[in-house]
Amino acid sequence: MTSIELLQTLGVTNDPRFVAPAAIGKNARRDIVASENPATGEVLGGVRLDDAEAYERTVSRLAAGFRAWRSVPAPTRGQVVRAIGEEIRTHRQALGRLVTLEVGKILAEGVGEIQEIVDIADLAVGLSRQLPGMTMPSERAGHRLMEQWLPLGPVGVITAFNFPAAVWGWNAMLAAVCGDTVLWKPSLLAPLTAMACNAIASRVATEMGHPDVFGLVIGSDAEIGERLIADRRFPLISATGSCRMGRRVASVVGQRLGRTLLELGGNNAVIVHEDADVSLAAQSIVFGAIGTAGQRCTTTRRLIVHENVAESLREKLCTAYEQVIGVNGAAGRIGDPTSERTLVGPLISGEAVKMFERAVAQADKERGQVLVGGRAITDLGGHFVQPTIVLSPKTNDLPIAMEETFAPILYVFTYTNLDEAIAMQNSVDQGLSSAIFTEGLRVSERFLAPDGSGSDCGIANVNCGTSGAEIGGAFGGEKDTGGGRESGSDSWKAYMRRQTTAINAKGTFALAQGIVFG
Ligand code: UN1
């Protein structure tokens, strides 16, 4: 199937914003962005950007839509989400392929990403029959104290290129069962995936009598992003992306006292203790560090390894990396992300390759030693780089490792005592994901200490890598990661407003705190 046939199958070509590749022409137009396949440079299609007027049309529709949707019983809203989940499941392969073509992640990961939408839809359907509020005993005789959760309003969802479908799914499926309408502003690096997913959700909801639950605006941060975050009609803005973007969103939404749900950068570490199963650790680290070509917010960027196992682990990792890169004439596993053999696809852009090169050069300046990889790959056509391991100097002093570079670079540090390893792990600005490998209960409990003195991250795994979280848990992190929680557990509460109610069923006047008045 050609890419244009794929876009037709998924309804993207019916979107009035879609511009066929042939019609884009050589002269770049400011109001049209081209979506390119990062593995080949092929233009998949163009998108005519929304202007202020188009934004207004969509937002008015969703604002009015909210007033209708909130009155639909939650279990009925759940049935709509169930039908959307089923339709997404039906198109899982095609959507996964589109993710692969547009952002370059390998097919298994592209399809896996779509599976995340199916999974969260399942969770949301169940939730639609719960959305539970608490009741508390009242201190006043004959009184009831309780809370209920109410629909919040239209929700703005800003997503990044690296999870161009799943992150919308986490937000949109929950928001929809909560009674909210959803405006999606996708990354301009992945607009076609957004058009495809939104088309499915809108079509299914419309067929079921709810045409104004889902909307999509495609535009630049300056024109559309700023308008959205300043728009008081959105009580909640959920944003995924860089810490810089998150600071801007937090300050503008904060100014109008709106709510944000932020899922920003990560600089995730794996600690491998001396009692660890080193083979298990190695496999998890390789997936965590080179999966999605190092472009997940949960990517393993730092390895903190006990000195007693450092050498054996390094050897295992270097061997695995060499197989992926392909040394001594052997074919590697980097390349066409649609091929089943491939493990590492391209970075998203030429700019991303430059950032990779800059980070490796900086590491070199800081006396880090490149153990394997370190180069951009120029003969494959797209934006490819070698997965890279950099060993820090003996002093463990490598400032570049404090930064999140969206590329497959793993910085390796060595430690002698566990407290020192945990402190090293916690020393970065971000606090998204973390992991420890150990066979010892005391060691893992130190890492998960209930007084909070262990990992300072939103995710802390034991004998599981930093990336690849299941949707059932709350996803997000602390510090510069932004503090938001999406997807499972009680993350749904972000999409609703809480109302606390005291009911006097006794008919006599009574005050709390024992106050006697009059
Ligand atoms: C992201 O990179 O923004 O845990 C999200 C994971 C995926 C989600 C990553 N389930 O790696």
Side-chain angles (χ1 to χ4, degrees):
M1 196 189 277
T2 63
S3 54
I4 200 79
E5 284 163 358
L6 181 68
L7 294 172
Q8 272 160 358
T9 312
L10 292 169
V12 175
T13 50
N14 295 334
D15 190 308
R17 288 168 286 212
F18 182 76
V19 183
I24 296 177
K26 289 250 173 321
N27 299 327
R29 279 183 46 181
R30 262 199 72 233
D31 61 338
I32 294 181
V33 294
S35 175
E36 279 177 23
N37 180 337
T40 60
E42 177 203 5
V43 173
L44 300 166
V47 179
R48 192 168 294 107
L49 298 183
D50 286 315
D51 56 14
E53 219 173 287
Y55 171 87
E56 193 47 46
R57 258 197 319 276
T58 306
V59 175
S60 323
R61 187 169 72 72
L62 293 175
F66 170 65
R67 290 189 284 276
W69 183 238
R70 69 180 172 187
S71 303
V72 174
T76 309
R77 300 195 294 252
Q79 293 309 306
V80 176
V81 167
R82 182 220 286 263
I84 293 171
E86 273 168 12
E87 194 64 8
I88 299 266
R89 194 192 305 264
T90 305
H91 290 95
R92 204 170 68 116
Q93 292 298 331
L95 286 167
R97 195 173 177 82
L98 178 54
V99 169
T100 291
L101 293 182
E102 196 168 35
V103 303
K105 61 177 73 176
I106 60 172
L107 212 45
E109 292 190 52
V111 173
E113 160 149 18
I114 302 305
Q115 184 61 41
E116 281 199 48
I117 308 181
V118 174
D119 293 343
I120 194 77
D122 281 350
L123 185 143
V125 175
L127 197 56
S128 73
R129 290 191 177 268
Q130 299 215 316
L131 304 173
M134 300 233 280
T135 64
M136 285 81 31
S138 170
E139 66 186 59
R140 287 168 286 181
H143 283 57
R144 173 190 291 281
L145 192 56
M146 54 167 253
E147 59 188 19
Q148 61 172 340
W149 290 90
L150 306 170
L152 183 64
V155 170
V157 178
I158 298 172
T159 58
F161 80 86
N162 67 327
F163 273 80
V167 172
W168 164 78
W170 298 348
N171 284 280
M173 298 302 109
L174 291 190
V177 296
C178 290
D180 303 337
T181 52
V182 181
L183 180 69
W184 184 6
K185 180 198 166 296
S187 160
L188 289 184
L189 294 166
L192 301 177
T193 302
M195 285 155 97
C197 292
N198 190 68
I200 290 176
S202 292
R203 177 168 51 74
V204 171
T206 303
E207 282 166 9
M208 294 176 82
H210 308 286
D212 299 320
V213 179
F214 300 98
L216 179 69
V217 279
I218 304 179
S220 67
D221 289 349
E223 211 158 312
I224 295 297
E226 288 292 325
R227 199 172 290 275
L228 169 60
I229 61 182
D231 194 333
R232 293 181 65 88
R233 287 169 292 184
F234 291 93
L236 171 68
I237 300 289
S238 171
T240 302
S242 67
C243 294
R244 191 185 53 77
M245 181 278 298
R247 284 198 180 85
R248 177 74 192 153
V249 172
S251 77
V252 175
V253 178
Q255 270 305 313
R256 63 176 173 90
L257 301 179
R259 276 195 223 162
T260 51
L261 195 174
L262 299 176
E263 204 264 280
L264 311 174
N267 189 345
N268 319 295
V270 167
I271 297 175
V272 179
H273 200 55
E274 58 181 331
D275 63 352
D277 176 337
V278 175
S279 299
L280 175 67
Q283 290 174 55
S284 308
I285 293 163
V286 172
F287 176 74
I290 75 175
T292 330
Q295 300 172 107
R296 289 192 191 211
C297 54
T298 51
T299 290
T300 306
R301 308 207 177 277
R302 296 175 298 138
L303 166 61
I304 303 168
V305 54
H306 192 279
E307 59 184 357
N308 291 352
V309 287
E311 206 178 303
S312 73
L313 179 58
R314 276 204 308 266
E315 264 169 32
K316 283 191 172 36
L317 291 176
C318 286
T319 307
Y321 272 56
E322 278 162 6
Q323 281 169 6
V324 171
I325 294 171
V327 290
N328 303 330
R333 310 284 293 271
I334 305 172
D336 175 7
T338 63
S339 153
E340 270 187 15
R341 254 193 69 77
T342 301
L343 294 177
V344 178
L347 295 185
I348 189 67
S349 64
E351 184 51 35
V353 175
K354 282 200 195 107
M355 308 258 262
F356 162 86
E357 288 178 311
R358 243 176 266 151
V360 173
Q362 183 61 28
D364 182 60
K365 238 190 242 162
E366 293 169 3
R367 292 184 302 115
Q369 184 194 344
V370 174
L371 296 181
V372 58
R375 295 223 168 81
I377 302 171
T378 49
D379 59 355
L380 286 177
H383 308 300
F384 293 92
V385 300
Q386 295 175 331
T388 298
I389 301 178
V390 176
L391 181 61
S392 111
K394 279 224 160 52
T395 52
N396 275 336
D397 184 24
L398 192 64
I400 184 69
M402 306 293 281
E403 284 170 33
E404 179 191 34
T405 302
F406 236 48
I409 307 174
L410 180 68
Y411 302 105
V412 181
F413 302 88
T414 314
Y415 73 92
T416 42
N417 96 38
L418 185 59
D419 285 350
E420 177 199 345
I422 292 174
M424 223 190 284
Q425 176 203 268
N426 291 347
S427 67
V428 294
D429 291 336
Q430 305 88 338
L432 179 55
S433 187
S434 60
I436 195 163
F437 284 79
T438 176
E439 297 293 302
L441 178 73
R442 288 189 190 168
V443 175
S444 62
E445 284 297 306
R446 170 74 191 88
F447 184 67
L448 303 174
D451 68 354
S453 63
S455 166
D456 65 0
C457 292
I459 298 170
N461 293 335
V462 178
N463 293 337
C464 266
T466 59
S467 70
E470 302 175 21
I471 59 97
F475 182 88
E478 305 299 335
K479 304 195 293 186
D480 285 9
T481 301
R485 290 297 187 279
E486 291 174 310
S487 143
S489 183
D490 65 352
S491 306
W492 59 271
K493 290 179 177 170
Y495 307 89
M496 302 198 88
R497 65 185 171 89
R498 182 198 311 242
Q499 190 167 65
T500 303
T501 302
I503 301 172
N504 179 353
K506 202 165 179 231
T508 48
F509 180 61
L511 291 169
Q513 293 87 44
I515 293 173
V516 178
F517 193 78

